């Protein structure tokens, strides 16, 4: 495999990792979406109209309808990373006498992640039906800003309970709607939010564990070879001490697949770690991604502050303190619990 092929594969993985953050966040007007929209307007002057229509239909089917394509991509990326880890990293680390429990940690995290993935993708996110509508509408109060009493979903022909939203992917209204995640091919709502949290954090831990073990392997190789104390001759015949750039190039030529995988999992760890922090913030403040986005879209402050009388200020009425907010993720409130309060 030549360097150009590896570079193209790396760029594809970078785009996949960026898409993971943008698509899972549930934001309709993400930076990536705006960039793609601007690029499509420029390309529309040079691309034939018929090709534009075909591309538009394909993208609409890909990003605006429920599909298993991203699930397959998710499994393929995971299989590629674990395949490389098993056949090269694990073997080299075992020969260097790394602790067995450390080497088995990614597999333990994988087992937990697969279980959370299945639960998250198969569980009912909290679909609102005519049979449960009367009970769900009593759980959360209408704040009068983001959620108005009497708003009817034109598709489901039912009054929307507070904190609910109609998902255009699935064609249903979801109770305490957070977002539609294409990577699990399901909505994230009140009933499966706990599984999504565990899935997301276990996925981040998997990437971080593999990145740490792989980096430790390469560092051990460098230390055992005493490469940093050596020197090299450049194309002009001049001698130089080994620097970081030369070291990376040497490792890439010696272990191309390992270095490529390390770069990908490090990038993935940073992206997923940022998204985990965002979800922790939402959980601590008892917000959903949908509510956070609506606040930004309408330009409302999420905290009560001193403002001019003519300016509408939004106060989050659903937050009950960090501990109770976290508890609500794992044990959604019911009508009976609300009456007791």
């Amino acid at each position: 495999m030549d360097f150009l092929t590896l570079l193209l594969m790396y760029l594809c993985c970078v785009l996949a990792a960026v898409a993971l953050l943008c698509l899972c966040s549930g934001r309709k007007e993400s930076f990536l979406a705006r960039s793609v929209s601007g690029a499509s307007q420029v390309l529309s002057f040079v691309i034939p109209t018929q090709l534009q229509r075909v591309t538009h239909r394909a993208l609409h089917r890909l990003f605006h309808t429920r599909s298993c394509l991203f699930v397959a991509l998710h499994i393929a990326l995971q299989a590629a990373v674990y395949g490389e880890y098993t056949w090269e990293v694990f073997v080299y680390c075992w020969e260097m006498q790394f602790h067995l429990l450390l080497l088995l940690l990614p597999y333990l995290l994988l087992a937990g992640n697969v279980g959370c993935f299945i639960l998250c993708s198969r569980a009912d996110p909290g679909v609102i039906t005519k049979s449960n509508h009367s009970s769900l509408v009593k759980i959360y109060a209408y704040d009068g800003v983001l959620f108005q009493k009497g708003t009817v979903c034109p598709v489901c022909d039912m009054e929307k309970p507070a904190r609910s939203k109609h998902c255009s992917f699935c064609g249903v209204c979801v109770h305490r709607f957070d977002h539609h995640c294409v990577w699990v091919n399901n909505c994230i709502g009140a009933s499966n939010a706990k599984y999504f949290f565990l899935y997301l954090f276990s996925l981040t831990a998997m990437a971080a564990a593999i990145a740490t073990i792989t980096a430790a392997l390469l560092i051990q190789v460098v230390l055992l070879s005493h490469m940093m104390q050596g020197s090299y001759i450049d194309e002009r015949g001049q001698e130089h001490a080994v620097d970081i750039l030369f070291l990376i190039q040497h490792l890439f030529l010696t272990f191309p697949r390992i270095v490529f995988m390390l770069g990908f999992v490090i990038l993935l760890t940073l992206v997923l770690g940022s998204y985990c922090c965002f979800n922790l913030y939402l959980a601590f403040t008892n917000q959903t991604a949908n509510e956070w986005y609506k606040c930004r879209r309408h330009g409302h402050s999420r905290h009560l502050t001193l403002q001019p009388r003519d300016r509408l200020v939004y106060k989050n009425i659903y937050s009950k303190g960090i501990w109770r907010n976290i508890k609500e993720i794992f044990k959604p409130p019911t009508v009976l619990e609300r009456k007791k309060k």
Side-chain angles (χ1 to χ4, degrees):
M1 184 178 296
D2 57 12
F3 178 78
L4 180 59
T5 304
L6 287 172
L7 181 61
L8 290 175
M9 290 176 59
Y10 191 79
L11 290 175
C12 291
C13 291
V14 168
L15 291 175
V18 173
L20 175 65
L21 178 61
C22 296
L23 291 171
C24 284
S25 64
R27 296 178 58 186
K28 295 180 181 178
E29 296 294 334
S30 64
F31 173 77
L32 181 63
R34 293 194 298 270
S35 302
V36 172
S37 177
S40 62
Q41 292 179 3
V42 175
L43 294 175
S44 62
F45 295 103
V46 295
I47 298 178
T49 305
Q50 189 64 26
L51 182 58
Q52 291 182 38
R53 292 175 181 173
V54 173
T55 304
H56 183 268
R57 286 196 295 267
L59 291 176
H60 177 79
R61 184 174 180 81
L62 182 61
F63 291 104
H64 296 281
T65 59
R66 197 172 184 185
S67 171
C68 293
L69 180 61
F70 281 96
V71 175
L73 177 60
H74 170 278
I75 296 173
L77 289 174
Q78 208 167 58
V81 169
Y82 269 87
E84 177 59 27
Y85 174 80
T86 301
W87 296 113
E88 287 202 277
V89 176
F90 186 95
V91 173
Y92 287 138
C93 289
W94 180 254
E95 292 177 352
M96 293 183 178
Q97 298 182 343
F98 277 56
H99 199 283
L100 180 60
L101 184 60
L102 176 66
L103 298 181
L104 293 178
L105 179 60
Y107 299 106
L108 299 176
L109 293 171
L110 176 63
N113 179 257
V114 170
C116 294
F117 171 80
I118 294 174
L119 290 172
C120 187
S121 60
R122 303 294 295 178
D124 177 11
V127 176
I128 301 172
T129 62
K130 292 183 179 180
S131 60
N132 63 13
H133 175 268
S134 59
S135 60
L136 294 179
V137 79
K138 299 175 183 177
I139 294 179
Y140 292 112
Y142 293 93
D143 59 10
V145 181
L146 299 181
F147 304 102
Q148 304 284 349
K149 185 176 178 60
T151 304
V152 178
C153 176
V155 179
C156 301
D157 195 26
M158 292 185 296
E159 181 184 4
K160 290 184 177 180
R163 311 193 77 181
S164 67
K165 186 180 183 297
H166 182 85
C167 176
S168 58
F169 288 83
C170 302
V172 294
C173 285
V174 178
H175 176 53
R176 199 184 182 277
F177 178 86
D178 190 273
H179 70 285
H180 181 93
C181 181
V182 296
W183 298 97
V184 300
N185 197 28
N186 199 6
C187 289
I188 308 302
S191 301
N192 67 344
K194 53 182 175 292
Y195 302 132
F196 178 74
F197 265 73
L198 295 175
Y199 161 76
L200 180 61
F201 282 96
S202 61
L203 189 64
T204 306
M206 282 167 46
I210 292 178
T212 302
I213 294 172
T214 305
L217 166 65
L218 295 178
I219 292 173
Q220 189 74 356
V221 169
V222 172
L223 293 177
L224 291 176
S225 63
H226 304 287
M227 191 179 303
M228 294 301 296
Q229 286 76 38
S231 60
Y232 68 96
I233 307 296
D234 63 11
E235 63 275 5
R236 298 178 181 178
Q238 297 179 351
E239 185 176 0
H240 300 275
V242 173
D243 53 12
I244 297 298
L245 181 60
F246 176 84
L247 185 63
I248 294 175
Q249 292 176 343
H250 176 77
L251 290 175
F252 186 82
L253 294 174
T254 309
F255 309 102
R257 290 185 296 271
I258 294 179
V259 174
F260 172 78
M261 184 194 72
L262 177 61
F264 174 66
V265 293
I266 288 177
L267 177 62
L268 199 60
T269 302
L270 294 176
V271 173
L272 290 172
S274 301
Y275 190 51
C276 281
C277 293
F278 173 68
N279 275 268
L280 276 176
Y281 163 74
L282 294 180
F284 288 160
T285 56
N286 203 334
Q287 295 183 88
T288 64
N290 176 54
E291 293 163 2
W292 179 84
Y293 171 72
K294 290 176 73 172
C295 285
R296 289 176 59 88
R297 185 180 63 185
H298 292 294
H300 296 140
S301 172
R302 287 183 287 278
H303 303 282
L304 185 60
T305 56
L306 295 176
Q307 297 289 345
R309 293 182 180 180
D310 58 347
R311 183 176 178 181
L312 183 63
V313 178
Y314 171 67
K315 184 178 185 299
N316 183 9
I317 66 173
Y318 306 114
S319 181
K320 310 177 187 69
I322 293 179
W323 171 246
R324 293 178 66 184
N325 291 342
I326 292 292
K327 184 179 178 181
E328 187 171 311
I329 297 293
F330 293 91
K331 187 182 179 183
T334 61
V335 179
L336 293 177
E337 292 175 351
R338 179 171 172 78
K339 286 182 178 180
K340 290 179 182 180
K341 298 176 183 178

